Amino acid sequence: MDDKPNWEHDGHDWPNRASSRFLSAGGLRWHVQKMGEGPVLLLLHGTGAATHSWRDFAPILAERFTVIAPDLPGHGFTASPPYERMSLPGMAAAIGALIEALGVSPALVLGHSAGAAILIQLCLEGRLAPSGIISLNGALMPWRGLPAHVFSPVAKLLAGNALVSRVFAWRAGNRKEIERLVASTGSALSPNGVDFYQRLIRHPSHIRATLSMMANWDLALIEQGLPHLQTPLYLVVAEGDLTVSPREAQRVRERLPGAELLTLPALGHLAHEEQPAKVAAVVHGIADRLTLSAR
């Protein structure tokens, strides 16, 4: 079992491989995909995923935008930073360094799940100044009730045990385990879509990054910062999301009443992988209202 995904082996047929490049920024070696022309659209995937999750979604958007999509630190083919830098501010700083190295100014940003929190943190810190933020099934608010007292301590315990990552990776060899994991999000993916998740999860480094991110995550920063967010926020929520309850969007709007809610019927947490054209149409609609094509 290799600890880290290997680009020549695991990435030999990586989606949109021709758009991939590797560069150094902020002390990390990054895997980034860039495609299309037009205003810059930055895509950030969520915890445990990688650029494969945009495989059909990004090319549609690239017809209108210059799409930039990195693998988050420790995920996919991007190097892992020290454990303590897997926090929300740490991840935001890493992405900020990458954007600076790329020399781009995103006109629009879209984050899936935890990726949305990173983008909001970047905007709150003044590192990004897009015309709008699209939160796709965003994980933006702190856990409530018992999970708030259990989730982070357990994640810290698991993240600190190297054997745990290897056991999880070993279990990923069982296709049924991955299929159950995907189904638990409320989404139904093609066999090819499941393949890419299995390919990553069977590597301990990817598991460690996922657990480390969960262990270090403090969404109280977003909850406290939302009333001060100046960038228009669009909450795109799938009604069938079993990972982040659609009701969480209402909690966001209590903190930021100006946030706009758009719903996706009959889709789950991985809506952009289930129906990429449908979700891309929502993004195009938002871009039209922001008149981004003129930029």
Side-chain angles (χ1 to χ4, degrees), residues 74-251:
H75 292 66
F77 302 96
T78 293
S80 297
Y83 171 81
E84 62 274 8
R85 286 173 57 192
M86 295 296 283
S87 64
L88 180 53
M91 296 287 266
I95 293 295
L98 173 64
I99 295 304
E100 184 176 347
L102 289 170
V104 297
S105 298
L108 183 64
V109 296
L110 183 154
H112 175 245
S113 196
I118 297 171
L119 291 172
I120 290 174
Q121 184 68 22
L122 280 161
C123 290
L124 289 171
E125 293 177 0
R127 293 174 179 266
L128 287 181
S131 296
I133 305 169
I134 300 175
S135 166
L136 176 57
N137 292 328
L140 304 178
M141 301 296 283
W143 290 88
R144 293 181 289 186
L146 183 62
H149 300 285
V150 174
F151 183 76
S152 183
V154 170
K156 285 187 170 98
L157 179 65
L158 296 178
N161 190 327
L163 180 60
V164 168
S165 298
R166 298 193 72 82
V167 169
F168 270 101
W170 174 76
R171 288 174 62 89
N174 184 339
R175 174 74 173 203
K176 294 295 183 184
E177 292 285 344
I178 306 302
E179 290 174 346
R180 279 194 287 269
L181 180 63
V182 170
S184 72
T185 69
S187 290
L189 300 187
S190 67
N192 187 50
V194 175
D195 287 343
F196 287 111
Y197 280 102
Q198 183 174 26
R199 190 179 303 184
L200 292 177
I201 295 172
R202 69 188 183 191
H203 293 285
S205 67
H206 189 80
I207 298 292
R208 279 198 303 275
T210 301
L211 292 173
S212 297
M213 203 168 160
M214 292 177 178
N216 279 289
W217 224 232
D218 181 9
L219 289 174
L221 294 171
I222 301 299
E223 184 178 33
Q224 295 160 9
L226 279 172
H228 308 289
L229 183 66
Q230 299 299 310
T231 310
L233 177 61
Y234 300 87
L235 303 169
V236 181
V237 176
E239 293 180 343
D241 190 344
L242 299 180
T243 300
V244 178
S245 170
R247 295 190 298 273
E248 292 299 289
Q250 295 302 333
R251 292 179 64 200

